[in-house]
Amino acid sequence: MSVDIDWNNLGFDYMQLPYRYVAHWKEGAWDEGTLSTDPNLSLNEGSPILHYGQGAFEGLKAYRTKSGKIQLFRPDQNAHRLHNSAEKLLMPPFPEDRFVDAVKQVVAANHDYVPPYGTGATLYLRPMLIGVGPNIGVAPAKEYIFDVFAMPVGPYFKGGMVPTKFIVADQHDRAAHYGTGQAKVGGNYAASLQAGKFAHEHGYGDAIYLDPIEHKYIEEVGSANFFGISKDGKTLKTPKSPSILPSITKYSILTLAHDRFGMKTEETKIAITDLDQFGEAGACGTAAVITPIASITYNGHEHVFYSETEVGPYTKKIYDELTGIQFGDVPAPEGWIVDV
Ligand code: PLP
Ligand code: COI
C-alpha cells in the first residue's frame, strides 16, 4: 500500500496514523501492551496528569535509508531519559528494552508512513508516560499509561536548515535549578508558551531562556539546546546548567565534533553578553535537528552570527555528519543506529 502524502512539504503537525502502542500499569506491574487503532485515550477526570502534570514524554525519529531500510537513532538514550523523567515525577519507569521494542512495533506497523529517502522528512515518534485514575489530592497516581504514537514530519523551524532568528525571553523562566528542567515533562513546556507566543508573533523562530538565578547565562531554546562555534572553528561550546534538557542531539554533536573533526568541546556557562566569541551558533534537537541561528536579540540589540541568510561552514559540516549518520549514508559510532 502506498499513502498519498506530499512528503516534501510536510511541516511539524499532528497526523493520525493507523497504529499506536499502549500499555497500562496497575497494582505494581506493566501489562503486556498492545498495538491499538484507537487514537483516543479514556481517562478518569481525577487523573493526576490532568491536574498536576504528572507525565513525561520523549521525541525520536525513524529514518528511511537510501536502500529503503528503516532505522532509529539512539532510541536507548530516549528510553533512558524517560526513565529519569519518570523517577523525577515518582512514576513507575517503563522498562527501557520494552520502550525500544514498542517504538519498533509502532514504526513497523505504520511503515507506509516512513517518508522516502531524499525528502528530508522522517517519522516522528512521541512516547509518553502519564499518571491516570481517580485522584484528587496532590499525590502520585495509582495507575499509569505508556503510549507511543507517530506521524511523518518535516522541519520544526520553517525551512529546516536555514538561519533562524531567536529572541531572549528575559521576562520568563522555563525551569528552576532544583526543578524539572532536566526532565522532559509537560510543565516545562506549559511554562514556555507565553515567551514562545511572543517570539513567534514578532517573527522569531522561538525564545531563548537565560539561567533562572542571575539571568546572565544562556540556558536553551524552548524546543532545543544551544551550541556555539568559535570563529576559528576549533571549539564547540554548549551551556552547562542543571535546568536544561540533556539533549541527545547535543551529546551526539559534542561526540562528532570531538571524535571526527578534532574540535575542542566544552559544556560551560555561556554569558548572553559574550556572544562575540562565536562565529556560528545553532539550535539542536530531534525536532529542530540542527537549525543555524541567524541572530539572537537581547535587550533590543540583535547579535548576528555568521550570516542572516547563509549557513556557516562548520555548522554545515556537523549537520552533514549527523544527518548522514541518521539517514544511513555515513558510518555511525557503535550502537547509535538500531534497525527496525
Ligand atoms: N531542549 C528542549 C526543551 C527540548 O524540547 C528538546 C527536544 O527534545 C531538546 C532540548 C533536544 O533534545 P533531543 O536532542 O534529545 O531531542
Ligand atoms: C523534540 O525535539 O523531540 C521535542 O520534543 C521538541 C518539541 C518541542 C517538539
Side-chain angles (χ1 to χ4, degrees):
M1 191 192 95
S2 71
V3 292
D4 184 21
I5 291 175
D6 184 3
W7 303 110
N8 289 298
N9 290 303
L10 284 170
F12 196 84
D13 299 304
Y14 178 82
M15 188 187 293
Q16 185 182 314
L17 297 201
Y19 296 100
R20 71 278 307 124
Y21 175 93
V22 186
H24 294 87
W25 188 95
K26 215 174 172 174
E27 288 163 11
W30 286 103
D31 70 10
E32 275 182 0
T34 184
L35 289 173
S36 155
T37 54
D38 186 355
N40 299 307
L41 296 172
S42 172
L43 304 185
N44 184 278
E45 60 199 353
S47 293
I49 180 64
L50 299 178
H51 305 261
Y52 305 126
Q54 196 196 18
F57 66 99
E58 273 303 323
L60 70 163
K61 287 172 168 174
Y63 304 81
R64 176 92 63 186
T65 69
K66 201 181 256 176
S67 67
K69 207 162 66 93
I70 303 172
Q71 58 187 33
L72 301 168
F73 181 71
R74 311 192 74 181
D76 56 320
Q77 300 295 307
N78 296 93
H80 190 59
R81 192 169 60 190
L82 186 64
H83 187 130
N84 291 344
S85 299
E87 285 187 337
K88 180 80 184 169
L89 298 196
L90 296 183
M91 303 191 286
F94 193 70
E96 293 179 37
D97 54 340
R98 287 191 60 191
F99 174 106
V100 176
D101 181 60
V103 166
K104 284 188 190 174
Q105 285 189 45
V106 172
V107 176
N110 296 296
H111 65 89
D112 288 331
Y113 293 85
V114 182
Y117 173 85
T119 59
T122 52
L123 187 77
Y124 183 71
L125 291 131
R126 175 51 64 84
M128 62 177 176
L129 171 56
I130 57 174
V132 299
N135 285 266
I136 199 61
V138 180
K142 295 180 197 73
E143 297 169 25
Y144 294 85
I145 295 175
F146 173 73
D147 180 306
V148 184
F149 63 104
M151 70 221 71
V153 297
Y156 187 73
F157 293 116
K158 211 163 173 238
M161 180 57 169
V162 297
T164 302
K165 293 169 182 250
F166 292 85
I167 184 165
V168 171
D170 50 1
Q171 301 301 310
H172 302 268
D173 291 328
R174 174 186 169 272
H177 275 185
Y178 294 100
T180 53
Q182 285 193 28
K184 201 160 169 64
V185 304
N188 297 338
Y189 297 83
S192 78
L193 292 175
Q194 280 189 331
K197 178 169 183 269
F198 179 88
H200 296 141
E201 284 178 355
H202 291 80
Y204 299 95
D206 203 346
I208 290 189
Y209 294 88
L210 299 182
D211 75 277
I213 309 259
E214 296 180 88
H215 271 208
K216 270 193 188 165
Y217 302 100
I218 295 186
E219 290 267 287
E220 62 176 323
V221 178
S223 49
N225 272 187
F226 171 90
F227 68 86
I229 301 174
S230 61
K231 289 181 177 154
D232 63 6
K234 290 191 176 149
T235 306
L236 186 144
K237 289 189 190 176
T238 65
K240 186 175 175 66
S241 162
S243 44
I244 64 175
L245 192 75
S247 156
I248 295 159
T249 315
K250 188 257 302 282
Y251 286 117
S252 305
I253 288 172
L254 286 169
T255 301
L256 295 174
H258 181 270
D259 294 1
R260 298 208 170 166
F261 299 132
M263 294 169 79
K264 188 170 165 240
T265 54
E266 233 183 303
E267 288 184 84
T268 180
K269 282 187 170 181
I270 298 174
I272 188 65
T273 50
D274 192 19
L275 295 180
D276 204 35
Q277 64 176 308
F278 300 122
E280 300 179 23
C284 62
T286 299
V289 193
I290 288 177
T291 299
I293 299 184
S295 66
I296 294 180
T297 296
Y298 171 59
N299 259 347
H301 169 75
E302 182 178 15
H303 179 95
V304 177
F305 290 94
Y306 182 74
S307 153
E308 289 183 81
T309 50
E310 306 284 313
V311 181
Y314 302 113
T315 305
K316 173 86 170 69
K317 193 161 92 165
I318 294 168
Y319 175 90
D320 286 345
E321 192 75 9
L322 176 72
T323 56
I325 290 169
Q326 291 171 329
F327 285 102
D329 296 327
V330 170
E334 173 127 26
W336 280 21
I337 293 297
V338 172
D339 290 339
V340 172

